[in-house]
Amino acid sequence: MTHGRDCITRCRALALYTEEPGRITRTFLSEPMRCVHADLGAWMRDCGMSVSVDAAGNLRGFYSGRTPDGPTLFIGSHLDTVPHAGAFDGILGVVLGIKLIELLQPRKLGFGIEVVGFSEEEGVRFGFPFIGSLALIGELGAAETAIANAIRAYGLDPDELPLAVASEQALGYLEFHIEQGPVLESLGASLGVVETIAGQTRLELMFEGRAGHAGTTPMHLRRDAVAGAAEWIFAVEAEARGIADLVATVGRIEAYPGASNVIAGAAKLSLDVRHREDTVRREAAVRLVAAAESIARRRDLIVTTEVRMEQAAVAMDPRLTDTLARAAGGPLRMVSGAGHDAMIVARRMPAAMLFLRSPGGLSHHPDESVFPEDVDAALTAGMNFFEELEKTA
Amino acid sequence: MTHGRDCITRCRALALYTEEPGRITRTFLSEPMRCVHADLGAWMRDCGMSVSVDAAGNLRGFYSGRTPDGPTLFIGSHLDTVPHAGAFDGILGVVLGIKLIELLQPRKLGFGIEVVGFSEEEGVRFGFPFIGSLALIGELGAAETAIANAIRAYGLDPDELPLAVASEQALGYLEFHIEQGPVLESLGASLGVVETIAGQTRLELMFEGRAGHAGTTPMHLRRDAVAGAAEWIFAVEAEARGIADLVATVGRIEAYPGASNVIAGAAKLSLDVRHREDTVRREAAVRLVAAAESIARRRDLIVTTEVRMEQAAVAMDPRLTDTLARAAGGPLRMVSGAGHDAMIVARRMPAAMLFLRSPGGLSHHPDESVFPEDVDAALTAGMNFFEELEKTA
């Protein structure tokens, strides 16, 4: 078995630790997380690492360097999943980190390596994402009561959260992750280096008109909320298509009252806009709200908009990213449209991310997969990355 | 109190017979229907009518003519309501019929008048509309088991349904009904004479593409079902606006999975198309399905369509309609976009309909109303109609 295949086999085995038999669902500090900790912890120990679970429930395995006081390279990703998930989102990055230590062993480097399996990234259990990585950078603070209670219920002590914070001696953070999108596949590429994690604006819009009888209301006397919403969705798509790398999505639309023979009096929609440059994203969002208002005015509708999320883009560290790109043989440089732990960790230390191709662009789906040869390529890139760091550390 | 005001007061009082306190909901042979029968039946008797409830639960009051063997004019509408209804849809037509007899009394005409309060028109209780009028024309047949059981539970005998059929000696059928739309109001008119009840085509459509991550899927690699659906809704509106008197409505749209950060993999929509001419309606429906298919093809989506209802237009009787128009002082002639009992009864006898203006175009809504002066105008039209029929009957 190749190393890539072994990583995939491990991910598939770990996927059996789930809250829902027959499906992969593993939320923050759920019971199956204990099995993941035990399984990966045992492998870490076999690889000569010292293992602990910090107060945020992060699994942490440390492989010391040649000297006890050298800097530390962090390699991490998350161990939790969305409901009905695939087997690779997050956990593959942790498995790759341990695999690299296995391959390195017994060689020691000029820096220590700490592999972190974050307890929480998806935000499923408490609607609050990135609990694990926020704890690592010391920004979880005094956790919310519900989170603190979950920590206690798992047998950990929320008062010890300050001890979870990464040492000042951090050399940087490396995250391997599946792309969760179709770009690498569409270009026939195995790997991509992330330069920026896109910023996000999320809005909720409500178009309001007047409900009416579908048979008795002539077209020119209608104030049809669904028709207005449809015109706007079309405009959203046109706007996004017209600006390089902008993505804009209406993923949710509901009509009220929602009967086939009643003209909709209201339509509620979501808008998700992302771009690597905050100004481009913000200006697009402003134009799209203006387009909604203009459509509403023309149609005698009222539109209300509410900002649900506004998150700035996060750049990966240019130097560490260059190092990673060299290590990976100069692959595509790309933007991550999804948020990742690297986005959080980047606030405290240089961070870099390597994407592995997602077959079919699939993620957050039970059919999510990864090619063994791509995992092998990622391992090679990881080993080269160590060598590059050895030259400079 | 004017006669118009009295009719309105009666409708508001009858609205208190409801299955849901605080709301007007009165379905086929529900308990509050007994109170409506008792209330209107007593008034009918006061007006010198003989009263019965037929095997379909229709309240029937007969006011004899000068001779016992003369023809019968039927005046009717329905006594049931949609859930959370207004106080006038249907029942106003029955109240007007009895009021006309009250005004006529003790005069006898060359024809008898039978006022029918249909037990069921809306189709709420069994998803099967027009139970009352179908029974009157002998087309309810051996009622479905559930309907037969409801008839028995009300203390009636479904085996006696054949006795509910209208006599061969029918002179015609007259129905007063609120417009349930904004046309009369927009023209500043009290009354309208219905020439045709529009035919209907109802479809359900499903656009299917591929769900995907809203952040990681570039616009050009998307197969977004909601974007395709939106383009089509826009096309539906344009088609209807381009053809005189065509109405086309998408009242229902659902996105799947329906999350703000997930590109919709599927979108389900309803389409309701109506026109007075069946060929115009059918051809429009064909073009709209073709438009959906063309949009789907261009966007690499799949669209499936399912016909849920296909109902031909029903013309009112030209002679009786001319008579009614003369009686009403030559008001606007119009198309009914909604179905009515007259549409069913027209299969057996000449039928005519008079619409009363709906303030705000509102119906199937607790704020549904009618102006007292419009009710007075309808009563005058009714009395004139009797005189017109006296001349010819």
Side-chain angles (χ1 to χ4, degrees), chain A residues 180 216 222 237 249 299, chain B residues 180 216 222 237 249 299:
Chain A
Q180 305 186 277
T216 62
R222 295 179 175 212
E237 192 184 42
T249 309
R299 290 174 170 270
Chain B
Q180 306 187 278
T216 63
R222 296 180 175 211
E237 191 184 42
T249 308
R299 290 174 170 270

Side-chain angles (χ1 to χ4, degrees), chain A residues 179-183 186 198 202-203 210-222 224 226-231 233-234 236-237 240-241 246-264 270-272 274 299 336-339 360-364, chain B residues 179-183 186 198 202-203 210-222 224 226-231 233-234 236-237 240-241 246-264 270-272 274 299 336-339 360-364:
Chain A
E179 181 198 343
Q180 305 186 277
V183 175
S186 74
R202 292 201 202 169
L203 296 176
R210 191 176 48 206
H213 193 297
T216 62
T217 315
M219 298 307 287
H220 70 282
L221 294 177
R222 295 179 175 212
D224 183 334
V226 159
E231 183 178 349
I233 293 169
F234 202 53
V236 168
E237 192 184 42
R241 282 180 174 172
L246 187 75
V247 288
T249 309
V250 176
R252 199 155 44 71
I253 175 167
E254 284 147 35
Y256 302 91
S260 65
N261 59 346
V262 181
I263 299 159
S270 64
L271 174 67
D272 178 310
R274 307 192 195 195
R299 290 174 170 270
S336 172
L362 272 185
S363 185
H364 287 190
Chain B
E179 180 198 344
Q180 306 187 278
V183 174
S186 74
R202 291 201 201 169
L203 297 175
R210 191 177 49 206
H213 193 296
T216 63
T217 315
M219 299 306 289
H220 70 282
L221 293 177
R222 296 180 175 211
D224 183 334
V226 160
E231 183 178 350
I233 293 168
F234 202 52
V236 167
E237 191 184 42
R241 283 181 173 172
L246 188 75
V247 286
T249 308
V250 176
R252 201 155 43 71
I253 174 167
E254 284 148 34
Y256 302 92
S260 65
N261 61 344
V262 181
I263 299 158
S270 64
L271 174 68
D272 177 311
R274 307 193 194 194
R299 290 174 170 270
S336 171
L362 271 184
S363 183
H364 287 190

Side-chain angles (χ1 to χ4, degrees), chain B residues 230-297:
Chain B
E231 183 178 350
W232 180 72
I233 293 168
F234 202 52
V236 167
E237 191 184 42
E239 170 83 17
R241 283 181 173 172
I243 295 174
D245 300 331
L246 188 75
V247 286
T249 308
V250 176
R252 201 155 43 71
I253 174 167
E254 284 148 34
Y256 302 92
S260 65
N261 61 344
V262 181
I263 299 158
K268 197 161 78 174
L269 304 92
S270 64
L271 174 68
D272 177 311
V273 185
R274 307 193 194 194
H275 196 268
R276 63 175 180 277
E277 289 178 39
D278 291 336
T279 50
V280 173
R281 171 179 48 84
R282 277 199 216 101
E283 285 169 17
V286 166
R287 275 193 303 274
L288 289 174
V289 168
E293 285 164 353
S294 150
I295 288 166
R297 218 165 18 243

Side-chain angles (χ1 to χ4, degrees), chain A residues 3 28 47 59 68 71 88 112 117 156 163-164 178 188 210 212 230 236 268 274 281 302 340 346 369 379 381-382:
Chain A
H3 298 303
F28 179 55
C47 296
L59 175 68
F88 302 98
L156 299 167
L163 302 177
I178 55 169
R210 191 176 48 206
V236 168
K268 197 162 77 176
R274 307 192 195 195
R281 170 179 50 81
I302 291 165
H340 292 291
S369 66
L379 287 168

Side-chain angles (χ1 to χ4, degrees), chain A residues 100-339:
Chain A
L100 285 169
I101 304 299
E102 184 187 281
L103 295 175
L104 203 56
Q105 236 197 337
R107 185 180 160 203
K108 298 285 183 177
L109 302 173
F111 49 91
I113 300 173
E114 182 163 337
V115 176
V116 188
F118 290 115
S119 54
E120 215 291 346
E121 187 257 13
E122 301 285 5
V124 173
R125 182 160 175 193
F126 294 111
F128 184 105
F130 302 114
I131 294 173
S133 45
L134 285 168
L136 186 77
I137 66 165
E139 292 188 14
L140 187 59
E144 290 182 20
T145 313
I147 296 173
N149 287 343
I151 288 171
R152 270 185 217 99
Y154 198 79
L156 299 167
D157 182 358
D159 292 339
E160 292 183 2
L161 278 171
L163 302 177
V165 180
S167 72
E168 297 290 333
Q169 282 266 65
L171 189 61
Y173 172 81
L174 172 64
E175 182 165 357
F176 298 94
H177 205 285
I178 55 169
E179 181 198 343
Q180 305 186 277
V183 175
L184 290 171
E185 182 176 70
S186 74
L187 299 170
S190 294
L191 304 177
V193 170
V194 175
E195 289 198 305
T196 303
I197 296 177
Q200 298 181 27
T201 300
R202 292 201 202 169
L203 296 176
E204 189 162 283
L205 290 93
M206 175 78 102
F207 285 90
E208 286 171 280
R210 191 176 48 206
H213 193 297
T216 62
T217 315
M219 298 307 287
H220 70 282
L221 294 177
R222 295 179 175 212
R223 294 170 56 206
D224 183 334
V226 159
E231 183 178 349
W232 181 72
I233 293 169
F234 202 53
V236 168
E237 192 184 42
E239 170 82 19
R241 282 180 174 172
I243 295 174
D245 300 331
L246 187 75
V247 288
T249 309
V250 176
R252 199 155 44 71
I253 175 167
E254 284 147 35
Y256 302 91
S260 65
N261 59 346
V262 181
I263 299 159
K268 197 162 77 176
L269 305 92
S270 64
L271 174 67
D272 178 310
V273 185
R274 307 192 195 195
H275 196 268
R276 63 175 180 277
E277 289 179 38
D278 291 335
T279 50
V280 173
R281 170 179 50 81
R282 279 199 215 101
E283 286 169 15
V286 166
R287 275 193 303 273
L288 289 174
V289 168
E293 285 164 353
S294 150
I295 288 166
R297 219 166 15 244
R298 187 160 29 77
R299 290 174 170 270
D300 196 14
L301 305 174
I302 291 165
V303 67
T304 47
T305 56
E306 193 186 319
V307 177
R308 288 299 183 91
M309 186 199 281
E310 183 83 61
Q311 193 175 275
V314 175
M316 296 292 95
D317 180 71
R319 232 185 100 232
L320 202 66
T321 300
D322 284 347
T323 305
L324 178 61
R326 272 197 309 280
L332 183 76
R333 284 167 175 261
M334 59 193 298
V335 172
S336 172

